[in-house]
Amino acid sequence: MIVESPSKAKTIEKYLGRNYRVVASLGHIRDLPRSQMGVDIENNYQPKYISIRGKGDVIKDLKKEAKKADHIYLAADPDREGEAIAWHVSHILDLDPKDKNRVVFNEITKDTVKNAFKEPRSIDMKLVDAQQARRVLDRLVGYSISPILWKKVKKGLSAGRVQSIALKLVIDRENAIKAFVPEEYWTIDGTMAKGKETFTASFYGENGRKKALNNNDDVQKVLDKIDKKKPFAVTKVVKRERKRFPAAPFTTSSLQQEANRRLNYKTRKTMMIAQQLYEGINLGGKQGTVGLITYMRTDSTRIASVAKHEASEFIHKEYGADYAAVKIQKKKNQEFAQDAHEAIRPTSVLRTPKSLESVLNRDQMRLYSLIWARFVASEMTPAVYDTITADMVQNGVQFRATGSRTKFPGFTKLYTQSGDETKDKLLPELNEGDDVLLKKTDPAQHFTQPPARYTEASLVKALEENGVGRPSTYSPTIDTIQKRFYVKLNGKSFEPTELGEIVNTLISEFFPDIVNVDFTAKLEDELDEVEAGDENWVQVVDQYYQPFAKEIDSAEEKIQKIQIKDEPAGFNCDICGAPMVVKLGRYGKFYACSRFPNCRNTKPIVKEIGVICPKCGIGQVVERKSKRNRLFYGCSRYPDCDFVSWDKPMGRNCPVDGHFLVEKKVKGGRQVICPNGDYEEPIQK
């Protein structure tokens, strides 16, 4: 039996016994050559596959094991890429693709793996063709545009279908922020009292109509109409019951988004940990190694009936019958969902996070807990709230108060999605005809805010909502635009770089279809149709490539060479005395000698924080970035002085022990503390 990874092989071999040998291909073993296009455009876009460099020993071992075996089964992952890997392995081993030697499973548990052998099938060439079409198209686009960027801009650049869309989304958002004109508006909150109870109401309008407050004059006109000695009359009270339903179990996209928001995991880290949980964790004892979650690359929210039944029994036992969804909730898939397999869920709901504390590391535990809680909550009843809206009027001026109370917690007893946390907001008993007094008014000026920059979570969401890319492409796409220095992370938000803006401008002007969201989404739909057997992959590639080829020829002629000019740095080289300049490199801007290549002196561009190094007392403390892009503080005299700190030094010493004080991010703001724990100042918001 051949799978992709050694850890997956190790888990499965324990289930199958001594008559089976499970070996790993270590991912793909054949691919297009890196040194050339590798696609025969004149011959129906036939790909020229070669064995991947460095995989010679793996292929030799696979052939050796295959000769010893009576039967060979191909058990790569249950998606397009897994099907393509199985097809490439069958070619290397001279297997007939029509033989029923392909086994697939959505989770790695003993029963599921054994049952997969009862229904082996032949390799699904429709899946292979869909993957092949994507690979060929990506190669045609990337290997056609990238050389133009090398010639016209600088070496090392690249362009691709999905990464170009992701870059354009970030730049379009940045342009929207720059073009945004804030608009002033005001609100008036009032502290109302009924007897001894007080509550907050907000200005709604006048004479029964909603009214906007655009400036301070509007506010003063409203306040002038209010007689502070007279009560407001409660004119309308509306009481309703509101239900909030649980979110569907995770798809790849929603898992990446929630892990980024709640756990601060990058998409790459989320997928790496999810892969570990899927391939198997050693639980010890008789259980051995078990896959803890189902396959983690999916855009479906479907759940197997067996898993639903087990979840229902668990909820009945742990929370009571009132919390178990009586009626099975059918979750709606995204419009673009392939629905190839289930949502991401625990392989057994009985493996609670608490029961796995001794076998999972911290990162694994946090992600597993999230997946487990989301799935169980999705099979629970909705939360029920009693809501109340009350209108209060005096001299035609209308204030409105809203309140809510949890009537039944339902699924929220276990899980709430980030941003959806609801707290009870209680009002006193109010009835039509009651009088309430306005104790205090609090007018506040506001300005409309520009759209927020994309985070990893919101960029994944945007790609999914636009139908661009598929579950397996989100993480590598975001990685690529960062590695090429087209975008950079500022805190959690993406900002385009100068290089990214240049590349986007060229692609938008000369290859408009590449950055056309609708065009790319339509292509994704056609790849789905190839998978379903409704489209021929060669025709799909051809109808996309033919107009693109004309754009390539036009771009070669029309694009002028772009010179990214060096900026003067304002100081001289400390080796040869020539002026230093600011250059743009692959990883951003840096200082370099203007006499390069005769003088190769370079320096990183660092930001001083205005504090003398507390270790050497000579150098300045500067901001630096770690390999993982995390901000830390060091001495400008490094390597002569090796001072480093994750927290910002304040330039003051602790009044207790004399150690330098630092500013630390804490819940609710920032706090100046002594690292030794002897002193702390109040939190500053």
Side-chain angles (χ1 to χ4, degrees):
M1 183 177 181
I2 300 170
V3 297
E4 302 101 308
S5 78
S7 55
K8 187 175 172 182
K10 191 176 177 183
T11 303
I12 293 171
E13 194 163 48
K14 291 178 181 177
Y15 299 154
L16 298 179
R18 288 178 295 177
N19 292 330
Y20 286 84
R21 178 96 168 90
V22 185
V23 293
S25 68
L26 303 179
H28 284 276
I29 58 173
R30 286 204 311 163
D31 197 6
L32 301 174
R34 296 185 68 178
S35 58
Q36 55 180 278
M37 179 75 79
V39 178
D40 190 347
I41 297 169
E42 305 300 323
N43 185 24
N44 287 331
Y45 304 97
Q46 287 305 303
K48 302 173 184 176
Y49 292 116
I50 63 167
S51 298
I52 295 173
R53 184 177 294 175
K55 287 293 182 80
D57 290 342
V58 174
I59 292 170
K60 192 188 296 181
D61 290 342
L62 289 177
K63 287 181 175 179
K64 181 181 172 184
E65 293 292 342
K67 282 181 182 177
K68 299 179 192 173
D70 298 321
H71 299 283
I72 299 168
Y73 292 98
L74 308 171
D77 287 341
D79 57 9
R80 290 177 189 167
E81 195 163 0
E83 206 71 18
I85 290 173
W87 179 65
H88 285 304
V89 170
S90 74
H91 182 274
I92 288 284
L93 300 181
D94 292 326
L95 305 179
D96 187 342
K98 294 177 182 176
D99 286 348
K100 292 191 174 182
N101 56 14
R102 176 83 168 109
V103 290
V104 292
F105 31 81
N106 196 47
E107 59 186 65
I108 303 176
T109 56
K110 190 171 186 177
D111 290 342
T112 307
V113 171
K114 285 195 167 184
N115 287 335
F117 279 88
K118 294 176 183 176
E119 297 179 11
R121 60 168 174 79
S122 55
I123 291 171
D124 188 340
M125 288 306 298
K126 298 191 295 293
L127 280 171
V128 175
D129 287 346
Q131 177 63 22
Q132 196 160 236
R134 176 188 288 281
R135 187 75 186 95
V136 167
L137 272 171
D138 286 346
R139 175 55 66 96
L140 290 170
V141 170
Y143 274 49
S144 297
I145 299 181
S146 296
I148 295 176
L149 295 178
W150 300 344
K151 282 186 211 170
K152 308 293 185 179
V153 186
K154 69 189 293 289
K155 284 196 172 183
L157 303 184
S158 72
R161 288 185 315 109
V162 180
Q163 77 179 57
S164 297
I165 293 280
L167 174 60
K168 187 174 189 299
L169 287 172
V170 172
I171 289 175
D172 286 351
R173 178 61 57 88
E174 193 69 21
N175 291 338
I177 292 169
K178 288 175 183 174
F180 183 80
V181 179
E183 293 182 7
E184 180 184 9
Y185 70 98
W186 287 70
T187 57
I188 306 173
D189 286 342
T191 302
M192 299 284 188
K194 184 188 177 188
K196 292 183 178 180
E197 294 184 88
T198 60
F199 60 97
T200 301
S202 299
F203 172 75
Y204 179 79
E206 292 181 338
N207 303 315
R209 292 186 178 181
K210 189 173 176 67
K211 181 179 179 180
L213 301 172
N214 297 318
N215 50 52
N216 191 35
D217 289 343
D218 290 347
V219 172
Q220 294 308 316
K221 287 174 185 176
V222 171
L223 295 178
D224 289 344
K225 291 180 182 179
I226 298 172
D227 186 342
K228 293 183 179 179
K229 295 178 182 178
K230 285 176 60 179
F232 275 70
V234 178
T235 58
K236 186 179 179 183
V237 177
V238 178
K239 294 180 180 179
R240 289 195 177 97
E241 184 181 270
R242 181 173 65 88
K243 289 184 178 179
R244 188 152 69 89
F245 289 86
F250 283 126
T251 60
T252 303
S253 164
S254 58
L255 176 63
Q256 289 173 350
Q257 291 171 53
E258 191 72 351
N260 182 255
R261 284 190 294 254
R262 187 171 287 204
L263 307 179
N264 203 23
Y265 287 178
K266 292 183 181 293
T267 53
R268 189 178 186 180
K269 181 175 181 177
T270 298
M271 295 312 291
M272 180 187 73
I273 298 167
Q275 183 94 26
Q276 294 166 2
L277 296 173
Y278 165 69
E279 292 185 344
I281 301 292
N282 190 349
L283 305 184
K286 292 181 180 179
Q287 293 183 84
T289 304
V290 178
L292 296 182
I293 64 170
T294 52
Y295 191 52
M296 66 285 156
R297 292 188 186 92
T298 176
D299 48 13
S300 172
T301 55
R302 184 172 57 81
I303 294 294
S305 56
V306 174
K308 280 180 174 288
H309 180 72
E310 186 184 59
S312 180
E313 285 188 339
F314 177 85
I315 295 163
H316 272 85
K317 182 180 176 184
E318 293 295 321
Y319 298 97
D322 290 342
Y323 286 88
V326 178
K327 185 179 176 185
I328 291 176
Q329 304 289 327
K330 187 169 182 183
K331 308 297 180 186
K332 187 179 177 185
N333 284 336
Q334 282 284 336
E335 183 185 347
F336 306 101
Q338 296 173 48
D339 202 21
H341 11 70
E342 285 187 72
I344 303 169
R345 61 168 177 83
T347 53
S348 172
V349 77
L350 302 179
R351 294 191 193 97
T352 63
K354 188 168 181 60
S355 71
L356 300 173
E357 283 178 345
S358 62
V359 294
L360 297 181
N361 63 38
R362 182 175 181 269
D363 286 342
Q364 291 169 340
M365 173 57 76
R366 294 178 79 200
L367 192 67
Y368 180 77
S369 298
L370 195 64
I371 293 167
W372 184 90
R374 174 80 163 232
F375 167 64
V376 177
S378 74
E379 297 300 318
M380 295 174 77
T381 48
V384 182
Y385 302 92
D386 284 332
T387 65
I388 179 172
T389 303
D391 289 339
M392 291 141 279
V393 178
Q394 185 214 86
N395 295 337
V397 176
Q398 181 179 338
F399 275 68
R400 176 169 286 181
T402 58
S404 66
R405 180 184 66 84
T406 303
K407 185 176 183 179
F408 179 70
F411 76 94
T412 63
K413 193 175 179 78
L414 173 65
Y415 175 86
T416 53
Q417 193 170 357
S418 57
D420 283 351
E421 297 81 1
T422 303
K423 291 182 179 179
D424 286 355
K425 182 185 175 185
L426 302 178
L427 295 180
E429 184 63 35
L430 295 173
N431 298 294
E432 291 179 13
D434 287 351
D435 285 343
V436 294
L437 291 172
L438 177 62
K439 292 285 191 182
K440 186 176 74 170
T441 56
D442 182 20
Q445 183 187 38
H446 309 275
F447 291 92
T448 53
Q449 296 298 308
R453 288 189 175 100
Y454 283 111
T455 61
E456 283 205 5
S458 57
L459 186 55
V460 167
K461 186 178 182 183
L463 290 170
E464 183 186 38
E465 286 176 346
N466 284 295
V468 177
R470 285 297 181 259
S472 60
T473 64
Y474 301 136
S475 180
T477 296
I478 290 173
D479 270 354
T480 300
I481 59 175
Q482 289 180 87
K483 284 177 180 173
R484 300 293 181 199
F485 199 66
Y486 296 163
V487 300
K488 61 182 179 183
L489 271 175
N490 184 357
K492 277 190 168 187
S493 302
F494 284 120
E495 292 179 5
T497 62
E498 181 186 350
L499 186 59
E501 302 223 15
I502 291 169
V503 170
N504 179 67
T505 300
L506 290 178
I507 293 175
S508 297
E509 184 178 347
F510 293 97
F511 309 101
D513 285 340
I514 296 292
V515 290
N516 184 317
V517 170
D518 294 335
F519 185 84
T520 304
K522 182 174 178 289
L523 174 62
E524 295 289 354
D525 290 340
E526 288 180 341
L527 292 176
D528 291 346
E529 288 176 20
V530 171
E531 180 178 332
D534 298 330
E535 284 266 19
N536 177 278
W537 79 268
V538 173
Q539 290 175 357
V540 168
V541 171
D542 189 62
Q543 69 184 32
Y544 186 92
Y545 179 72
Q546 287 306 323
F548 173 70
K550 293 174 184 174
E551 291 175 347
I552 287 288
D553 294 338
S554 173
E556 284 273 19
E557 293 176 19
K558 294 179 181 177
I559 295 180
Q560 300 295 314
K561 185 166 178 64
I562 295 171
Q563 185 70 37
I564 301 176
K565 293 181 180 177
D566 298 336
E567 306 166 28
F571 60 93
N572 293 334
C573 175
D574 51 13
I575 293 177
C576 71
M580 294 287 279
V581 294
V582 178
K583 284 186 174 288
L584 180 62
R586 189 173 172 184
Y587 301 105
K589 292 185 175 182
F590 63 97
Y591 294 126
C593 181
S594 57
R595 289 183 61 244
F596 177 87
N598 295 324
C599 177
R600 294 180 172 269
N601 185 23
T602 61
K603 291 177 181 289
I605 295 177
V606 292
K607 179 182 174 184
E608 295 181 355
I609 66 168
V611 172
I612 299 294
C613 174
K615 186 168 185 178
C616 69
I618 302 171
Q620 288 282 332
V621 175
V622 296
E623 291 183 355
R624 295 187 185 276
K625 290 282 183 77
S626 70
K627 288 181 180 178
R628 294 175 177 266
N629 207 38
R630 185 179 169 189
L631 182 70
F632 71 95
Y633 299 89
C635 181
S636 60
R637 293 180 62 245
Y638 176 85
D640 295 330
C641 175
D642 61 359
F643 168 78
V644 287
S645 171
W646 289 116
D647 302 311
K648 183 179 179 180
M650 298 304 295
R652 298 186 278 129
N653 291 335
C654 174
V656 178
D657 66 3
H659 195 284
F660 65 89
L661 296 175
V662 296
E663 184 183 70
K664 197 174 185 69
K665 285 184 182 178
V666 294
K667 194 171 183 179
R670 297 174 181 273
Q671 187 175 30
V672 175
I673 64 164
C674 174
N676 294 332
D678 297 326
Y679 174 80
E680 62 181 38
E681 295 179 2
I683 295 173
Q684 300 291 321
K685 290 186 178 179

